[in-house]
Every structure is written in C-alpha cells, then in structure tokens.
Amino acid sequence: MRNLQNSGRLRPVDLAREHGLSAQAVRNYEADGILPGAERTPHGYRTYTPWHAQALRAFLALLPGHGHHTAASIMQAIHRDDTEAALRLIDESHAQLLDDRHTLQAVEAALRDLDPVPQERGDTFVGPLARRLGIRPATLRKWERAGLVRPRRDPQTGYRVYSAADVRDALLVHQLRRGGYLLAQIAPLIARIRSAGGVAPLESTLRDWHARLSARSRAMLTGAAALDAYLDYRPAPTRTKAE
C-alpha cells in the first residue's frame, strides 16, 4: 500500500491513529470547526492533508492547558480567519491561571492565620457574610448542610449567627472552592483543621494545588508552541476581491 502520509492525502483514520483517537472523533472535530473543512472524493469520502494533521496536533496540545471549550474556541476562531480572537482567548486563559495563583496565595495566607478565635467576638449574620464573600446566602446554607460552616441559632429570632471562627471557615471554603475543590473534598479538610488546630492537614493539598498549577502552566507553553507551528504551517487566509 502506498504511504498516505507521503502522498499528502490522508483518511480520517490516518489522523486518528497518531493520537489513539477514533476516526469518528476526527470527523466530529472537523464538523465542530476545530479542523479545517476536508475535501471529498467523487465517492464522498473525506480526504485530509498534512495541514489537517497539524491542526489536530495543535488542538490536542492546547487541551491540557486550556480545557476543551477554550481549546476548541481557539481553533474555531483561527479557522474563521480571526486570529485576534484566538489570541485573546489565550490571554484570558493566562489571566485565569494568574488569578488561580493569587487564590492559592490567599488560601495559604488564610491558613497561616488559623489561630483559635474567641467565640464571643466577630459575630455576623448570613446576609453580611454572603456580601463579604460575594456569594448568595443560599450558598452559605448549602455549605452549612455539608458541614463546612456551623453557625449557631439566635434563641429569640432563630437567625443564623456566624462567629469569627465560622467566618474564618467560610473564607477558607470560599478560597478552596475557587481553587477547584469540591465540597466533598473540602469537608474532611475543614474537619481535620478544627480537630488538629493547625495547617498540617492541608500541606499535601497545597502541594498538589501548586503542582497542578505548574503542570497547567507548562501545558500552556506546549500548546502555544504547537499553535504557533500551526499558524506558520497553515495557508494564508483567503481574501475577497473587495479587500
């Protein structure tokens, strides 16, 4: 059999095999605009080229750092000849990564201040605490049902009253949620912090968080290199006569 890669005409399975994908996945990527449109043979079969293979490499390289939605949007923008939109999406991902690093720093700062707090000081109610965190009161009630915060009830009004320790726990939960942790993952950490009275139970979590951010940052570099190679490889955008 002739070497399809050398011929410049590739089938869906030829693109798929390099990455362990199915041929249908390649066809789906084309239908979604992640790959350029393919030409068809007289019998209706798709024929791809090394250009399509390079596009697939770029998309798959973007996935680990940016996620499927953003990586797909980047490739779709490029295939609309809107490279500026694609670059803006990349900038937004980097900004989100920087924000996540700031979130991690805030969590570490909060953990450094986890000294016992007098129960009688710093009381607040659900509304002011929700506004301070920028969340809805319903979210605080959900955290309470999950055991993440434990406000007491005012015996006369029945209102929830959050002590300074409750506020501290709510701030920590809020930061961990922003870091991508699920309530089910946060609950045992909060319980261990309460019982241990220190930050040691979270040390492994923080190391994992740092590692995930670093891996994401490196993945963005890899994706950027692959995308840059694709932009150099792809044909120049077509222009109309009016342009």
Side-chain angles (χ1 to χ4, degrees):
M1 295 179 64
R2 62 182 180 147
N3 188 321
L4 292 174
Q5 179 70 39
N6 291 339
S7 73
R9 299 185 64 183
L10 308 173
R11 303 164 300 173
V13 68
D14 297 316
L15 270 67
R17 188 180 292 121
E18 177 184 350
H19 307 286
L21 301 173
S22 67
Q24 185 58 50
V26 173
R27 289 189 286 266
N28 291 342
Y29 289 153
E30 182 201 344
D32 292 340
I34 294 170
L35 302 182
E39 294 183 356
R40 299 280 185 142
T41 68
H43 297 289
Y45 295 112
R46 291 174 173 84
T47 61
Y48 296 110
T49 67
W51 173 32
H52 295 87
Q54 194 77 11
L56 182 57
R57 293 185 195 108
F59 170 67
L60 295 177
L62 289 167
L63 276 177
H66 298 275
H68 188 279
H69 176 74
T70 299
S73 297
I74 290 169
M75 299 303 293
Q76 289 160 353
I78 288 172
H79 297 141
R80 294 194 307 268
D81 290 338
D82 192 354
T83 304
E84 286 297 319
L87 296 176
R88 184 167 59 250
L89 288 167
I90 292 170
D91 291 343
E92 289 171 356
S93 272
H94 281 281
Q96 181 60 58
L97 177 61
L98 181 60
D99 187 58
D100 290 345
R101 289 192 183 279
H102 290 159
T103 297
L104 175 55
Q105 292 172 352
V107 169
E108 292 176 321
L111 290 174
R112 286 194 294 269
D113 298 328
L114 282 180
D115 295 328
V117 181
Q119 183 72 18
E120 69 275 11
R121 298 183 59 188
D123 289 351
T124 188
F125 296 100
V126 63
L129 180 56
R131 286 192 293 272
R132 176 178 175 181
L133 297 176
I135 61 177
R136 297 180 301 167
T139 300
L140 280 171
R141 290 191 285 270
K142 182 178 180 180
W143 292 355
E144 181 182 351
R145 290 193 297 272
L148 304 179
V149 290
R150 298 185 297 189
R152 70 181 188 278
R153 295 282 186 150
D154 184 281
Q156 296 182 344
T157 65
Y159 293 157
R160 292 173 173 82
V161 180
Y162 295 83
S163 69
D166 295 321
V167 172
R168 177 203 65 196
D169 290 346
L171 288 168
L172 183 55
V173 171
H174 184 51
Q175 298 288 9
L176 288 169
R177 288 289 289 147
R178 289 190 61 192
Y181 287 89
L182 303 175
L183 296 183
Q185 297 171 307
I186 297 172
L189 297 176
I190 295 293
R192 289 165 65 189
I193 288 171
R194 288 174 182 149
S195 62
V199 303
L202 272 180
E203 288 179 354
S204 62
T205 299
L206 294 175
R207 286 195 299 270
D208 174 66
W209 195 345
H210 275 290
R212 289 191 290 115
L213 289 178
S214 295
R216 185 171 154 204
S217 185
R218 288 291 301 272
M220 284 183 173
L221 291 176
T222 301
L227 183 63
D228 185 60
Y230 176 60
L231 290 174
D232 284 341
Y233 190 94
R234 67 192 291 262
T238 56
R239 295 186 180 275
T240 66
K241 292 182 179 179
E243 294 175 316

